[in-house]
Structures are given as structure tokens and as C-alpha cells.
């Protein structure tokens, strides 16, 4: 089920949404720490995480799925948001240096097509951050947050999906260890939850965050040795029932 853009905007205006933006945003910024001169694309509902790049990147775009709806972003100046079909984005090949996918992979009916399209528009060596709900996390089990809608992922499922679409995962992170409750005191403890959960590698994080690079060539699977794969033939038996040919001497 796809979330409406109004619901997403309302969530990020709430205390829980502010905590999510802050905790996920610190990882996004850490992984994409210097984007001077780059083109950056946010896909899904990425606008809460794109503002920090506007001062240094050449361009920052926000593409939102057609079934979700679109809002004007940024609030001032020229609009950089667009309503698109995420499997056929209106961008040329190899035109984006960095991509952020959030609130998109779990709700699309064609996750492989979406990632394949992002592979197409990324430059050689381009990098992508995919943020997806964790199957083991509490945030994916409550539909009061956007992360409780759509298909959550395990780490192995997300890794296999990335590799199938020719992305090479280079770094894994987790966020949202803090429970998605509305109690403000609990939400203020978000940083403490993140530090404890990250330090001990505890299960139960709300989202998985994988950074991956674009592979230019499809990896060649390991092959068996040629001689092992050839059919084995037994020696032919001696012919029987045939008289020997005599040698004629004049």
C-alpha cells in the first residue's frame, strides 16, 4: 500500500517524524559527507534529507512516485520536485552522482525495476543510499508510521536485491532503535538508544541503510573446470562376431 504525500508530510511534522529525520539524517550526511559539484537525486519521499546538500551540490532533485503524489520543494525558489513513474525517470543515462531512496522501495510493486532505473541514471562509480524498513524492527510493525507500510526487508533480502540489480553494497548501517511511541521523553532519548544499539549491534532497528556503488560489469559466476563438466565416455568394447580380414598374398 502506497502512502499519500500528505500523510508523509504530516508524519515528518510530528515529534516522531522529527526524531526519524534527525537519526536517519545523521547517517545520510555521514555517508555523503562532501557532495561539492555533484548531482543528487532523492527518490520516494526524500525531501526531509535533501536540504543539507543544497549549498554544495550542483543540483538537488526530488522525484516522487506517481501513486504517492508530489509536493512543491523547496518551499522557496525554483521547484526541484517532480511527479514521476519511478521505473522510467525523465533523466539521461549516467546523469546523477548520488541517489537517496527512502519511502520508495518497500511500496513499489517492481523493486528490481526501480533499482535498475537508478542504476541507469547513476554515473560510473555513482553511489546510492537505500533506506528500507527492517523486518525485525518495531517501526515496521506499526502502521502509525510510514515505515509500517509496504514490504519490510531483512538484511539478506536487501543484499540479494542490490546484487541482482548490479549494485555492490559497501557499507551497512541501522537506525531507529528508539521505539516509535509518541511520548516526548522517550523520543528525546533517541540518541541514547542509537548509541547503545549501534555499539552492541543489537537487533530491532527500525530501518536498514545500505550504501552501494554502481557496478559496470556483471560479475562472472564461478565455473566448474571444463573437464569436470564434459560428459564422460567409457572406452568402446572390442567388436565381436566379425571374422578377421585375411591378408592376400599373390
Amino acid at each position: 500500500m502506497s502512502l499519500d504525500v500528505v500523510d508523509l508530510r504530516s508524519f515528518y511534522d510530528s515529534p516522531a517524524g522529527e526524531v526519524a529525520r534527525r537519526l536517519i539524517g545523521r547517517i545520510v550526511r555521514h555517508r555523503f559527507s562532501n557532495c561539492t559539484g555533484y548531482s543528487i537525486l532523492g527518490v520516494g519521499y526524500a525531501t526531509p534529507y535533501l536540504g543539507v546538500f543544497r549549498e554544495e551540490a550542483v543540483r538537488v532533485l526530488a522525484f516522487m512516485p506517481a501513486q504517492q503524489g508530489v509536493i512543491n520543494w523547496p518551499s522557496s525558489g525554483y521547484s526541484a520536485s517532480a511527479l514521476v513513474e519511478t521505473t522510467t525517470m525523465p533523466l539521461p543515462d549516467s546523469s546523477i552522482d548520488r541517489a537517496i531512496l527512502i519511502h520508495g522501495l518497500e511500496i513499489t510493486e517492481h523493486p528490481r525495476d526501480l533499482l535498475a532505473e537508478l542504476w541507469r541514471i547513476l554515473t560510473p562509480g555513482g553511489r546510492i543510499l537505500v533506506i528500507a524498513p527492517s523486518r525485525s524492527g518495531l517501526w515496521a510493525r506499526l502502521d502509525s508510521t510510514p515505515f509500517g507500510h509496504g514490504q519490510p526487508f531483512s538484511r539478506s533480502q536487501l543484499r540479494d536485491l542490490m546484487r541482482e540489480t548490479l549494485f555492490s553494497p559497501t557499507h551497512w548501517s541501522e537506525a531507529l532503535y528508539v521505539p516509535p511511541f509518541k511520548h516526548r521523553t522517550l523520543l528525546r532519548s533517541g540518541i541514547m538508544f542509537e548509541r547503545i544499539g549501534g555499539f552492541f549491534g543489537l537487533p530491532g532497528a527500525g530501518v536498514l541503510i545500505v550504501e552501494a556503488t554502481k557496478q559496470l560489469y556483471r560479475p562472472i559466476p564461478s565455473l566448474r573446470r571444463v573437464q569436470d563438466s564434459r560428459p564422460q565416455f567409457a572406452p568402446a568394447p572390442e567388436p565381436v562376431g566379425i571374422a578377421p580380414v585375411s591378408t592376400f598374398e599373390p
Side-chain angles (χ1 to χ4, degrees):
M1 175 182 177
S2 178
L3 283 172
D4 188 89
V5 69
V6 176
D7 296 327
L8 288 161
R9 182 170 56 184
S10 298
F11 168 75
Y12 278 103
D13 287 339
S14 70
E18 174 59 25
V19 169
R21 185 201 61 77
R22 181 157 42 92
L23 297 179
I24 295 174
R26 59 196 287 265
I27 297 177
V28 170
R29 186 53 173 166
H30 178 68
R31 301 313 307 173
F32 288 174
S33 59
N34 183 6
C35 294
T36 303
Y38 288 161
S39 296
I40 298 178
L41 172 67
V43 178
Y45 190 79
T47 54
Y49 307 96
L50 295 177
V52 296
F53 302 107
R54 292 184 61 201
E55 297 299 323
E56 59 189 40
V58 171
R59 63 185 59 86
V60 182
L61 303 174
F63 283 179
M64 303 183 188
Q67 65 270 27
Q68 170 187 288
V70 65
I71 61 172
N72 182 57
W73 182 86
S75 57
S76 60
Y78 295 108
S79 177
S81 61
L83 190 71
V84 302
E85 176 54 56
T86 53
T87 56
T88 54
M89 299 185 200
L91 289 173
D93 296 352
S94 302
S95 56
I96 295 296
D97 301 294
R98 299 288 185 267
I100 301 169
L101 173 60
I102 184 170
H103 302 303
L105 188 65
E106 66 271 20
I107 62 172
T108 182
E109 296 180 359
H110 307 287
R112 287 173 178 80
D113 293 343
L114 170 56
L115 289 174
E117 181 68 358
L118 285 166
W119 187 96
R120 179 187 69 82
I121 63 178
L122 276 175
T123 57
R127 291 155 58 189
I128 182 174
L129 276 177
V130 177
I131 298 109
S134 173
R135 182 178 294 278
S136 63
L138 186 59
W139 289 71
R141 304 183 187 187
L142 300 177
D143 59 8
S144 57
T145 79
F147 301 103
H149 295 257
Q151 175 65 46
F153 292 87
S154 67
R155 182 164 175 163
S156 60
Q157 288 173 329
L158 192 55
R159 180 185 62 243
D160 292 343
L161 182 60
M162 299 296 288
R163 289 178 175 175
E164 288 172 9
T165 50
L166 299 185
F167 284 102
S168 178
T170 58
H171 187 272
W172 291 88
S173 302
E174 294 178 327
L176 301 187
Y177 285 96
V178 60
F181 302 141
K182 296 182 180 180
H183 197 283
R184 290 183 179 271
T185 302
L186 185 62
L187 292 173
R188 291 193 192 102
S189 304
I191 293 295
M192 180 187 68
F193 277 96
E194 299 300 296
R195 289 175 178 172
I196 294 174
F199 181 81
F200 291 102
L202 300 177
V207 295
L208 297 170
I209 304 175
V210 54
E211 180 183 359
T213 58
K214 174 179 178 177
Q215 292 181 347
L216 295 182
Y217 302 100
R218 185 178 297 275
I220 300 174
S222 58
L223 301 176
R224 294 181 301 171
R225 295 174 60 186
V226 174
Q227 57 266 34
D228 293 339
S229 62
R230 290 175 179 171
Q232 302 297 319
F233 298 101
E238 293 289 338
V240 296
I242 301 177
V245 178
S246 59
T247 302
F248 175 77
E249 295 181 0

